[in-house]
Amino acid sequence: MLIVMKPNATEAEIAEIRKRLWGMGRTTREFPVDSRVTISILGDSSGVDPDLFSTMAGVDETIPIYKPFRLAGRDFRAGNTVVDVAGELIGGNSLAIIAGPCSVENRDQLLRTAEAVKRRGARFLRGGAYKPRTSPYAFQGLREEGLALLGEAKAATGLRIVTEVKDVATLDAVAEVADMIQVGARNMSNFSLLEAVGERSKPVLLKRGISATIEELLMSAEYILARGNQNVVLCERGIRTFEPYTRNTLDLNAIPVIKKLSHLPVLVDPSHGIGMWDGVTSMALAGIAAGADGLIIEVHHDPSVALSDGQQSLKPERFAELMEKVRRIAPIVDRTIAGEHRPHTHRPVPAD
Ligand code: PEP
Ligand code: MN
């Protein structure tokens, strides 16, 4: 059970609740949600009568929670959360489109790709400055120099920046330029990093771990939410299965399942999901059809020279085709593309 205090609840009122719960042998934890203190009763709270608390001074509401993820679940918030990323909304009716290279490689590559994806309708630029690579001998990213180039691309295009944080040590630097901080698949269970991004209000794009269950993804989101940061966007990017033909298996089941369990927006990353460029558009469309709130797509002006993930990166022309198809499929699932007007789809009904 959660006990949500009123925004103006006093410390004495909070202490009264604590005292009563502790007197009942319960352990509690407190955290801020939308500037309201929320008291969580740890463990099984089925024996605690919410009516004992709902009338106490300073209490706004008591919420029974049946799932292990308390704040990420629909018990806590029935409606859909819309995350505001520097004025661009993720969630709701419009589809958020994030596109750009896997890694920031140099000024020319980043600026050319940024202009190209912007022209085709992306509102966010992705690009890693710190790259968590399987091999220590692979390109690790341009680091600070990459962040500076992302800052330049932001100034030049107005695109919102999505870039990955690899560790707590570089979080301040990443947060300086990022409009949304990406926590990658390999860091989904890095709980100190989750807590650190949870201490801020900057939106977080949390990618599903390579072998993580849906519940584990939601519990990782919970780490961020429990620290007070409510701006969490989830991302299905494929999981490892026995199938070697594709890089990962994009778990489209996860989209309707997460939508049922959680109020948080969820994006699909078909680039890492399938791992080959000629399958990306099909899986992007499938993700939208399955109910995703948007896409994150790897695009490179010349994938043949990319320093990472060239095999799954789209050329700008291919990205343009993907966007055209997304524009056609979006109205079928009652969506528009963020920043674009709904196309005129009305056709006269033929007479009998
Ligand atoms: C990426 O977005 O380039 C990336 C490394 O993704 P993931 O963490 O999903 O592997
Ligand atoms: Mn990549």
Side-chain angles (χ1 to χ4, degrees), residues 1-77:
M1 187 169 89
L2 294 177
I3 300 172
V4 183
M5 304 302 291
K6 292 183 174 146
N8 57 357
T10 63
E11 183 44 47
E13 288 167 342
I14 296 167
E16 271 307 303
I17 310 274
R18 228 182 265 139
K19 207 168 97 193
R20 181 174 268 190
L21 283 165
W22 291 357
M24 295 164 76
R26 302 292 171 162
T27 312
T28 59
R29 179 137 178 240
E30 288 160 36
F31 47 87
V33 176
D34 300 337
S35 74
R36 296 183 302 173
V37 171
T38 299
I39 303 169
S40 177
I41 303 166
L42 302 188
D44 179 13
S45 60
S46 53
V48 181
D49 180 1
D51 288 346
L52 281 179
F53 296 90
S54 48
T55 52
M56 287 180 72
V59 173
D60 199 0
E61 55 178 336
T62 54
I63 307 175
I65 302 279
Y66 303 102
K67 295 280 195 308
F69 34 89
R70 298 172 180 219
L71 302 172
R74 287 210 185 264
D75 289 337
F76 178 65
R77 191 169 283 156

Coordinates of all heavy atoms in Angstrom, one line a residue, residues 1-77:
M1 N 0.8 -1.2 0.0 CA 0.0 0.0 0.0 C 0.9 1.3 0.0 O 2.0 1.3 0.6 CB -0.9 0.0 1.2 CG -1.9 1.1 1.3 SD -3.1 0.9 2.6 CE -2.4 1.7 3.9
L2 N 0.4 2.3 -0.7 CA 1.1 3.6 -0.7 C 0.2 4.6 0.0 O -1.1 4.6 -0.2 CB 1.3 4.1 -2.1 CG 2.3 3.3 -3.0 CD1 2.4 3.9 -4.4 CD2 3.7 3.3 -2.4
I3 N 0.8 5.4 0.8 CA 0.0 6.5 1.4 C 0.6 7.8 0.9 O 1.8 8.1 1.1 CB 0.1 6.5 3.0 CG1 -0.4 5.2 3.5 CG2 -0.6 7.7 3.6 CD1 -0.2 5.0 5.0
V4 N -0.2 8.5 0.1 CA 0.3 9.7 -0.6 C -0.2 10.9 0.2 O -1.4 11.1 0.5 CB -0.3 9.8 -2.0 CG1 0.3 11.0 -2.7 CG2 0.0 8.6 -2.8
M5 N 0.8 11.7 0.7 CA 0.5 12.9 1.5 C 0.1 14.1 0.6 O 0.5 14.1 -0.6 CB 1.7 13.3 2.4 CG 2.2 12.2 3.2 SD 1.0 11.5 4.4 CE 0.8 12.8 5.5
K6 N -0.6 15.0 1.2 CA -1.0 16.3 0.5 C 0.3 17.1 0.2 O 1.2 16.9 1.0 CB -2.0 17.1 1.3 CG -3.3 16.4 1.4 CD -4.3 17.3 2.1 CE -5.7 16.6 2.0 NZ -6.5 16.8 3.2
P7 N 0.3 17.9 -0.8 CA 1.6 18.7 -1.0 C 2.0 19.5 0.2 O 3.2 19.7 0.4 CB 1.2 19.6 -2.2 CG 0.0 18.9 -2.9 CD -0.7 18.2 -1.8
N8 N 1.0 20.0 1.0 CA 1.4 20.8 2.1 C 1.4 20.1 3.4 O 1.3 20.7 4.5 CB 0.4 22.0 2.1 CG -1.0 21.6 2.3 OD1 -1.3 20.4 2.2 ND2 -2.0 22.5 2.4
A9 N 1.5 18.8 3.4 CA 1.5 18.0 4.6 C 2.7 18.4 5.5 O 3.8 18.6 4.9 CB 1.5 16.5 4.3
T10 N 2.5 18.5 6.8 CA 3.6 18.9 7.6 C 4.4 17.7 8.1 O 4.0 16.5 8.0 CB 3.1 19.6 8.9 OG1 2.3 18.6 9.6 CG2 2.2 20.8 8.5
E11 N 5.6 18.0 8.5 CA 6.5 16.9 9.0 C 5.8 16.2 10.2 O 5.9 14.9 10.3 CB 7.9 17.5 9.4 CG 8.9 16.5 9.9 CD 9.1 15.2 9.0 OE1 9.1 15.3 7.8 OE2 9.1 14.1 9.6
A12 N 5.1 16.9 11.0 CA 4.4 16.3 12.2 C 3.3 15.3 11.7 O 3.2 14.2 12.3 CB 3.8 17.4 13.1
E13 N 2.6 15.7 10.6 CA 1.6 14.8 10.1 C 2.2 13.5 9.5 O 1.7 12.4 9.7 CB 0.8 15.5 9.0 CG -0.1 16.6 9.6 CD -0.7 17.6 8.6 OE1 -0.2 17.6 7.4 OE2 -1.7 18.2 8.9
I14 N 3.3 13.7 8.9 CA 4.0 12.5 8.3 C 4.5 11.6 9.4 O 4.4 10.4 9.4 CB 5.2 13.0 7.4 CG1 4.6 13.8 6.2 CG2 6.0 11.8 6.9 CD1 5.6 14.5 5.4
A15 N 5.0 12.3 10.5 CA 5.5 11.5 11.6 C 4.4 10.7 12.3 O 4.7 9.6 12.8 CB 6.2 12.5 12.6
E16 N 3.2 11.2 12.3 CA 2.1 10.5 12.9 C 1.8 9.2 12.2 O 1.5 8.2 12.8 CB 0.8 11.4 12.9 CG 0.6 12.3 14.1 CD 0.7 11.5 15.4 OE1 -0.1 10.6 15.6 OE2 1.6 11.9 16.3
I17 N 1.8 9.3 10.8 CA 1.6 8.1 10.0 C 2.6 7.1 10.3 O 2.4 5.9 10.5 CB 1.6 8.5 8.5 CG1 0.8 9.7 8.2 CG2 1.3 7.3 7.6 CD1 -0.6 9.4 7.9
R18 N 3.9 7.5 10.2 CA 5.0 6.7 10.5 C 4.8 5.9 11.8 O 5.0 4.7 11.9 CB 6.3 7.6 10.6 CG 7.5 7.1 9.8 CD 8.6 8.1 10.0 NE 8.7 9.1 9.0 CZ 9.0 10.4 9.3 NH1 9.2 10.8 10.6 NH2 9.1 11.3 8.4
K19 N 4.5 6.7 12.9 CA 4.4 6.2 14.2 C 3.3 5.1 14.3 O 3.5 4.0 14.8 CB 4.0 7.3 15.2 CG 4.4 7.1 16.6 CD 4.3 8.3 17.4 CE 3.0 8.3 18.2 NZ 2.6 9.6 18.8
R20 N 2.2 5.4 13.6 CA 1.1 4.4 13.6 C 1.5 3.1 12.9 O 1.3 2.0 13.4 CB -0.2 5.0 12.9 CG -1.3 4.0 13.0 CD -2.6 4.6 12.5 NE -3.4 5.2 13.5 CZ -4.6 5.6 13.4 NH1 -5.2 5.5 12.3 NH2 -5.3 6.1 14.4
L21 N 2.2 3.2 11.7 CA 2.6 2.0 11.0 C 3.7 1.3 11.7 O 3.6 0.0 11.8 CB 3.2 2.5 9.6 CG 2.1 2.8 8.6 CD1 2.7 3.6 7.4 CD2 1.3 1.6 8.1
W22 N 4.6 2.0 12.3 CA 5.7 1.3 13.1 C 5.1 0.6 14.3 O 5.5 -0.5 14.6 CB 6.8 2.3 13.5 CG 7.6 2.9 12.4 CD1 7.5 2.5 11.0 CD2 8.6 3.8 12.4 NE1 8.3 3.2 10.3 CE2 9.1 4.0 11.1 CE3 9.2 4.6 13.4 CZ2 10.1 4.9 10.7 CZ3 10.2 5.5 13.1 CH2 10.7 5.7 11.8
G23 N 4.1 1.2 14.9 CA 3.4 0.6 16.0 C 2.7 -0.7 15.6 O 2.5 -1.6 16.4
M24 N 2.4 -0.8 14.3 CA 1.7 -2.0 13.8 C 2.8 -3.0 13.3 O 2.5 -4.0 12.7 CB 0.8 -1.7 12.6 CG -0.4 -0.8 13.0 SD -1.2 -0.1 11.6 CE -2.0 -1.4 10.9
G25 N 4.1 -2.7 13.6 CA 5.2 -3.6 13.3 C 5.5 -3.5 11.8 O 6.2 -4.5 11.3
R26 N 5.2 -2.5 11.1 CA 5.5 -2.3 9.7 C 6.7 -1.5 9.4 O 7.1 -0.6 10.2 CB 4.3 -1.6 9.0 CG 3.0 -2.3 9.1 CD 3.0 -3.7 8.4 NE 1.8 -4.5 8.7 CZ 1.4 -5.5 8.0 NH1 2.1 -5.8 6.9 NH2 0.4 -6.2 8.4
T27 N 7.4 -1.8 8.3 CA 8.6 -1.0 7.9 C 8.1 -0.2 6.8 O 7.3 -0.6 5.9 CB 9.7 -2.0 7.4 OG1 9.8 -3.0 8.4 CG2 11.0 -1.3 7.3
T28 N 8.6 1.1 6.8 CA 8.2 2.0 5.7 C 9.3 2.6 5.0 O 10.5 2.6 5.5 CB 7.4 3.2 6.4 OG1 8.2 3.8 7.3 CG2 6.1 2.7 7.1
R29 N 9.0 3.2 3.8 CA 10.0 3.9 3.1 C 9.3 5.1 2.5 O 8.2 5.0 2.1 CB 10.6 3.0 2.0 CG 11.5 3.6 1.2 CD 12.8 3.0 0.8 NE 13.4 4.0 -0.1 CZ 13.7 3.8 -1.3 NH1 13.5 2.7 -1.9 NH2 14.2 4.8 -2.0
E30 N 10.0 6.3 2.5 CA 9.4 7.5 2.0 C 10.1 8.0 0.8 O 11.3 7.9 0.7 CB 9.4 8.6 3.1 CG 8.4 8.3 4.2 CD 8.7 9.0 5.5 OE1 9.2 10.1 5.4 OE2 8.5 8.4 6.5
F31 N 9.3 8.5 -0.2 CA 10.0 9.1 -1.4 C 9.1 10.2 -2.0 O 7.9 10.2 -1.7 CB 10.3 8.0 -2.4 CG 9.2 7.1 -2.7 CD1 8.3 7.4 -3.6 CD2 9.1 5.9 -2.0 CE1 7.3 6.5 -3.9 CE2 8.1 5.0 -2.2 CZ 7.1 5.3 -3.2
P32 N 9.6 11.1 -2.7 CA 8.8 12.1 -3.3 C 8.2 11.7 -4.6 O 8.9 11.2 -5.5 CB 9.8 13.3 -3.5 CG 11.1 12.6 -3.7 CD 11.1 11.2 -3.1
V33 N 6.9 12.0 -4.8 CA 6.3 11.8 -6.1 C 5.6 13.1 -6.4 O 4.6 13.5 -5.7 CB 5.3 10.6 -6.1 CG1 4.6 10.6 -7.5 CG2 6.0 9.3 -5.8
D34 N 5.9 13.8 -7.5 CA 5.3 15.1 -7.9 C 5.2 16.0 -6.7 O 4.1 16.5 -6.4 CB 3.9 14.8 -8.5 CG 3.9 13.9 -9.7 OD1 5.0 13.9 -10.4 OD2 2.9 13.3 -10.0
S35 N 6.3 16.1 -6.0 CA 6.4 17.0 -4.8 C 5.5 16.6 -3.7 O 5.3 17.4 -2.8 CB 6.3 18.5 -5.2 OG 4.9 18.8 -5.4
R36 N 5.0 15.4 -3.7 CA 4.2 14.9 -2.5 C 5.0 13.8 -1.9 O 5.5 12.9 -2.6 CB 2.8 14.5 -2.9 CG 2.0 15.6 -3.5 CD 0.6 15.1 -3.9 NE 0.6 14.0 -4.8 CZ -0.5 13.3 -5.2 NH1 -1.7 13.6 -4.6 NH2 -0.4 12.3 -6.0
V37 N 5.1 13.8 -0.5 CA 5.7 12.7 0.1 C 4.8 11.5 0.0 O 3.6 11.5 0.3 CB 6.0 13.0 1.6 CG1 6.5 11.8 2.4 CG2 7.0 14.1 1.7
T38 N 5.4 10.4 -0.4 CA 4.7 9.1 -0.5 C 5.3 8.1 0.4 O 6.5 7.9 0.4 CB 4.7 8.7 -2.0 OG1 4.1 9.7 -2.8 CG2 3.9 7.4 -2.2
I39 N 4.4 7.5 1.2 CA 5.0 6.5 2.2 C 4.6 5.1 1.7 O 3.4 4.8 1.4 CB 4.4 6.7 3.6 CG1 4.7 8.2 4.0 CG2 4.9 5.7 4.6 CD1 3.9 8.6 5.3
S40 N 5.6 4.3 1.5 CA 5.4 2.9 1.0 C 5.5 2.0 2.2 O 6.5 2.1 3.0 CB 6.4 2.6 -0.1 OG 6.3 1.3 -0.5
I41 N 4.6 1.0 2.3 CA 4.7 0.0 3.4 C 5.4 -1.2 2.7 O 4.9 -1.7 1.8 CB 3.3 -0.4 3.9 CG1 2.6 0.9 4.4 CG2 3.4 -1.5 5.0 CD1 1.1 0.6 4.6
L42 N 6.5 -1.5 3.3 CA 7.3 -2.6 2.7 C 6.7 -3.9 3.0 O 6.1 -4.1 4.0 CB 8.8 -2.5 3.1 CG 9.5 -1.1 2.9 CD1 11.0 -1.2 3.2 CD2 9.3 -0.7 1.4
G43 N 7.0 -4.9 2.1 CA 6.5 -6.2 2.3 C 5.0 -6.3 2.1 O 4.4 -5.4 1.5
D44 N 4.4 -7.4 2.6 CA 2.9 -7.6 2.4 C 2.1 -6.7 3.2 O 2.2 -6.7 4.5 CB 2.6 -9.1 2.7 CG 1.2 -9.4 2.5 OD1 0.4 -8.6 1.9 OD2 0.7 -10.5 3.0
S45 N 1.4 -5.8 2.6 CA 0.6 -4.9 3.4 C -0.9 -5.2 3.4 O -1.8 -4.4 3.7 CB 0.8 -3.4 2.9 OG 0.4 -3.3 1.5
S46 N -1.2 -6.5 3.0 CA -2.6 -6.8 2.9 C -3.4 -6.7 4.2 O -4.6 -6.5 4.2 CB -2.8 -8.2 2.3 OG -2.0 -9.1 3.0
G47 N -2.7 -6.8 5.3 CA -3.4 -6.7 6.6 C -3.6 -5.3 7.1 O -4.2 -5.1 8.2
V48 N -3.1 -4.3 6.4 CA -3.3 -2.9 6.8 C -4.5 -2.3 6.2 O -4.7 -2.3 5.0 CB -2.0 -2.1 6.4 CG1 -2.2 -0.7 6.9 CG2 -0.8 -2.7 6.9
D49 N -5.4 -1.8 7.1 CA -6.7 -1.3 6.6 C -6.5 0.2 6.1 O -6.1 1.0 6.9 CB -7.7 -1.3 7.8 CG -9.0 -0.7 7.4 OD1 -9.2 -0.3 6.2 OD2 -9.9 -0.7 8.3
P50 N -6.7 0.4 4.8 CA -6.4 1.8 4.3 C -7.3 2.8 5.0 O -6.9 4.0 5.2 CB -6.8 1.7 2.8 CG -7.0 0.2 2.5 CD -7.1 -0.5 3.8
D51 N -8.5 2.4 5.5 CA -9.4 3.4 6.1 C -8.8 4.0 7.4 O -9.1 5.1 7.8 CB -10.7 2.7 6.5 CG -11.5 2.5 5.2 OD1 -11.1 3.1 4.2 OD2 -12.5 1.7 5.3
L52 N -7.8 3.2 8.0 CA -7.2 3.7 9.2 C -6.3 5.0 8.9 O -6.1 5.8 9.8 CB -6.2 2.7 9.8 CG -6.8 1.5 10.6 CD1 -5.7 0.6 11.1 CD2 -7.5 2.1 11.9
F53 N -5.9 5.1 7.7 CA -5.0 6.2 7.3 C -5.6 7.3 6.5 O -5.2 8.4 6.5 CB -3.8 5.6 6.6 CG -3.0 4.7 7.4 CD1 -3.3 3.3 7.5 CD2 -2.0 5.2 8.3 CE1 -2.6 2.5 8.4 CE2 -1.3 4.3 9.1 CZ -1.6 3.0 9.2
S54 N -6.7 6.9 5.7 CA -7.2 7.9 4.7 C -7.8 9.1 5.3 O -7.9 10.1 4.7 CB -8.1 7.2 3.7 OG -9.1 6.4 4.4
T55 N -8.2 9.0 6.6 CA -8.8 10.1 7.2 C -7.8 10.9 8.1 O -8.1 11.9 8.8 CB -10.0 9.7 8.1 OG1 -9.6 8.7 9.0 CG2 -11.2 9.2 7.2
M56 N -6.6 10.4 8.2 CA -5.6 11.1 9.1 C -5.1 12.4 8.4 O -5.2 12.6 7.2 CB -4.4 10.2 9.3 CG -4.7 9.1 10.2 SD -3.2 8.0 10.5 CE -2.2 9.1 11.6
A57 N -4.8 13.4 9.3 CA -4.4 14.7 8.8 C -3.2 14.6 7.8 O -2.3 13.9 8.0 CB -4.0 15.6 10.0
G58 N -3.4 15.4 6.7 CA -2.3 15.5 5.7 C -2.3 14.4 4.7 O -1.5 14.5 3.7
V59 N -3.2 13.4 4.8 CA -3.2 12.3 3.8 C -4.1 12.7 2.7 O -5.2 13.1 2.8 CB -3.7 11.0 4.5 CG1 -3.9 9.9 3.4 CG2 -2.8 10.5 5.6
D60 N -3.5 12.5 1.5 CA -4.3 12.8 0.2 C -5.1 11.5 -0.2 O -6.3 11.6 -0.4 CB -3.3 13.3 -0.9 CG -4.0 14.0 -2.0 OD1 -5.3 14.1 -1.9 OD2 -3.4 14.4 -2.9
E61 N -4.3 10.4 -0.3 CA -5.0 9.2 -0.7 C -4.2 8.0 -0.3 O -3.0 8.1 -0.1 CB -5.3 9.1 -2.2 CG -4.1 9.4 -3.1 CD -4.4 9.3 -4.6 OE1 -5.3 8.6 -5.0 OE2 -3.5 9.8 -5.3
T62 N -4.9 6.8 -0.2 CA -4.2 5.6 0.1 C -4.4 4.7 -1.1 O -5.5 4.7 -1.7 CB -4.7 4.9 1.3 OG1 -6.1 4.7 1.2 CG2 -4.4 5.6 2.6
I63 N -3.4 4.1 -1.6 CA -3.5 3.3 -2.8 C -3.0 1.9 -2.6 O -1.8 1.6 -2.3 CB -2.6 3.9 -4.0 CG1 -2.9 5.4 -4.1 CG2 -2.8 3.2 -5.3 CD1 -2.0 6.1 -5.1
P64 N -3.9 0.9 -2.7 CA -3.5 -0.5 -2.5 C -2.7 -0.9 -3.8 O -3.1 -0.5 -4.9 CB -4.8 -1.3 -2.4 CG -5.9 -0.4 -2.9 CD -5.4 1.0 -2.9
I65 N -1.6 -1.6 -3.6 CA -0.8 -2.0 -4.7 C -0.7 -3.5 -4.7 O -0.3 -4.1 -3.7 CB 0.6 -1.4 -4.6 CG1 0.6 0.1 -4.5 CG2 1.6 -1.9 -5.7 CD1 0.4 0.9 -5.8
Y66 N -0.9 -4.1 -5.8 CA -0.9 -5.6 -5.9 C 0.3 -6.1 -6.6 O 0.5 -7.3 -6.6 CB -2.2 -6.1 -6.6 CG -3.4 -5.6 -5.8 CD1 -4.2 -4.5 -6.3 CD2 -3.8 -6.2 -4.6 CE1 -5.3 -4.0 -5.7 CE2 -4.9 -5.7 -3.9 CZ -5.6 -4.6 -4.4 OH -6.7 -4.1 -3.8
K67 N 1.1 -5.3 -7.2 CA 2.2 -5.7 -8.0 C 3.5 -5.3 -7.4 O 3.5 -4.3 -6.6 CB 2.1 -5.0 -9.4 CG 0.9 -5.4 -10.3 CD 1.2 -6.8 -10.9 CE 0.2 -7.1 -12.0 NZ -1.2 -7.0 -11.7
P68 N 4.6 -6.0 -7.7 CA 5.9 -5.6 -7.0 C 6.4 -4.2 -7.5 O 7.1 -3.5 -6.7 CB 6.9 -6.7 -7.5 CG 6.2 -7.4 -8.6 CD 4.8 -7.2 -8.5
F69 N 6.0 -3.8 -8.7 CA 6.4 -2.5 -9.1 C 5.3 -1.6 -8.7 O 4.1 -1.7 -9.1 CB 6.6 -2.4 -10.7 CG 5.7 -3.3 -11.5 CD1 4.5 -2.9 -11.9 CD2 6.1 -4.6 -11.7 CE1 3.6 -3.7 -12.6 CE2 5.3 -5.5 -12.4 CZ 4.0 -5.0 -12.9
R70 N 5.6 -0.7 -7.8 CA 4.5 0.1 -7.1 C 4.2 1.4 -7.9 O 3.1 1.7 -8.1 CB 5.0 0.5 -5.7 CG 5.2 -0.8 -4.9 CD 5.8 -0.5 -3.5 NE 5.9 -1.8 -2.9 CZ 5.7 -2.0 -1.6 NH1 5.4 -1.0 -0.8 NH2 5.8 -3.2 -1.1
L71 N 5.3 2.1 -8.3 CA 5.1 3.4 -8.9 C 5.0 3.3 -10.4 O 4.4 4.1 -11.1 CB 6.2 4.3 -8.6 CG 6.4 4.5 -7.1 CD1 7.7 5.3 -6.8 CD2 5.3 5.3 -6.5
A72 N 5.5 2.2 -11.0 CA 5.5 2.0 -12.5 C 4.2 1.4 -12.9 O 3.8 1.5 -14.1 CB 6.7 1.1 -12.9
G73 N 3.4 0.8 -12.0 CA 2.2 0.1 -12.3 C 1.0 0.9 -12.5 O 0.9 2.1 -12.0
R74 N 0.0 0.3 -13.1 CA -1.3 1.0 -13.2 C -2.1 1.1 -12.0 O -3.1 1.9 -11.9 CB -2.1 0.4 -14.4 CG -1.5 0.7 -15.7 CD -2.5 0.7 -16.8 NE -1.9 0.9 -18.1 CZ -1.8 2.1 -18.7 NH1 -2.3 3.2 -18.2 NH2 -1.3 2.2 -19.9
D75 N -1.7 0.3 -10.9 CA -2.4 0.5 -9.6 C -2.2 1.9 -9.1 O -3.0 2.6 -8.6 CB -1.8 -0.4 -8.5 CG -2.2 -1.9 -8.8 OD1 -3.2 -2.1 -9.4 OD2 -1.4 -2.8 -8.3
F76 N -0.9 2.4 -9.4 CA -0.5 3.7 -8.9 C -1.1 4.8 -9.8 O -1.6 5.8 -9.3 CB 1.0 3.8 -8.9 CG 1.5 5.2 -8.4 CD1 1.2 5.6 -7.1 CD2 2.2 6.0 -9.3 CE1 1.6 6.9 -6.7 CE2 2.6 7.2 -8.9 CZ 2.3 7.7 -7.6
R77 N -1.1 4.6 -11.1 CA -1.6 5.6 -12.0 C -2.3 4.9 -13.2 O -1.7 4.2 -13.9 CB -0.4 6.5 -12.5 CG -0.8 7.7 -13.3 CD 0.4 8.6 -13.5 NE 0.8 9.3 -12.3 CZ 2.0 9.8 -12.1 NH1 3.0 9.6 -13.0 NH2 2.3 10.5 -11.0

